[in-house]
Amino acid sequence: MAGESSASRTSWRARLGTALLVVLAIGAVPLYRAVTGPSADGAVLLHEAHRVELGPNGWVAAQQDANGWFWGDDTEVVLRNLATGAETNIGGAPSLEHILPTGGYLSDVGGIGIHEPSGEEVAFIDPPMIGEGVEGLEGLQAGFPEIAGVSDEVVAVLVCYSPEMELLSSEVEGGHAVMAGFRLSDGGRVWARDTGAGCAGQAMYRPPVSELGALEHVVTYAGDRAAVTRLDDGAVAATWEDTPRDSVVVQDGLALHRIGDSRVEAVDLATGDAVAATECADAGLMSPGPVPNLSPEAVLAVECGDQEVRLYDRDTQAFTPVPAPPLGEDRTIPDGESRAYDRYILHRTGETLTITDALSGEEIGSVAVPEEMAIQNNAPRGRVLLLYVLTDEDDVEYRMMAVDLRTAEPILTEAKGVGPDWQVDPTGYALVSGSDFYRRGGRSSSGTVHRVESWVVGVE
């Protein structure tokens, strides 16, 4: 699963399993359903025969059959909180793009719509509003906006300004990537600026994922120049030259900044001052997940080649060495060896994985994990450890597990036949999904229907 991320949401080809004829006495229309489809077991909080999107704080957007009618083609989307039980039916095709921590959402048809949990649209951000009044954009047209980041109060939006309407990733000559912040309460624009980057799309930023919840900062790049922008007011908290991608990770007012190949500084984003630094050969930043924003559930960490990991301690403002190397390229843990992942040391003995808190030295517990399973380090790092093994390369299918790192208890004991459309809420939820073809037929109609099954698991 290397190189794949929950941000991509890339569709994958489902396999056609062996079909079992099931005759249902409903309108004399028989249903043929594949019986070799995906499956999942564990602390299942939600199971839907449709696609589900995982949001923050226990929120999900679950597609379901309209009026509970499985045999129809109409669907509707329900926003549901798995912790509180709150839910709202927001209708058939809301073009939901990002779930907000409040249970509201953002849509993206022609612009960016801001919606309350009820589904009511609070405001609509029209593309020309984004760069209005910004110098150097005269005679240029706003293209198709993309969400750059969302805080508790503001959504930041990026758009390409060029002679014709273009995508942010168009790399059109003379294009300007403009970013602006809009209030979630009423859609009013708070700030706007030209980022100084061309329309280079994901070369300049990574799209946010709903699962991480509200962010404080967004990291953008113009070539090898990195900028950290505070979402609520648009202030540039830090800029660094000669800083390639994956050289900055931000979390709760701090940033880890890698300088060259051997030095990492912890920077206070309120003052711009370096509060700590560490040096080692082949220094790198432990992957925070699909975006440079690290969950509050995780710890800022530096990887020193394949030798050791150093964790940043906020209380002492110092880096603490961990007596275990980081994950290797294959992301597995060989028998009899240990690997550092976030603040934990993972030690394998056969099919037993023992989890120890690296900072306290306390052993948390052990869990049975097949030896061939690798650790998914593209998931948002936090409380959930996601493990996988590829079982069908042609159809891109996986066997997966998920473990609560705080207790060493599995929350997803096993999932089979699932695809790469997984998601993780680092506070304690995970989503896996798989798909199959369902064949319908009868005297009046017949056909093959592609169905997605989704499971959400979580901690108690």
Side-chain angles (χ1 to χ4, degrees), residues 79 88 90 105 115-121:
L79 281 170
T88 303
I90 57 176
Y105 66 95
H115 301 260
E116 292 182 341
S118 65
E120 180 182 353
E121 186 175 274

Side-chain angles (χ1 to χ4, degrees), residues 343-366:
R343 65 178 293 155
Y344 304 96
I345 296 176
L346 311 177
H347 180 81
R348 177 178 288 284
T349 304
E351 294 203 344
T352 299
L353 194 67
T354 300
I355 303 171
T356 300
D357 188 309
L359 293 176
S360 68
E362 178 183 355
E363 182 178 308
I364 296 171
S366 299

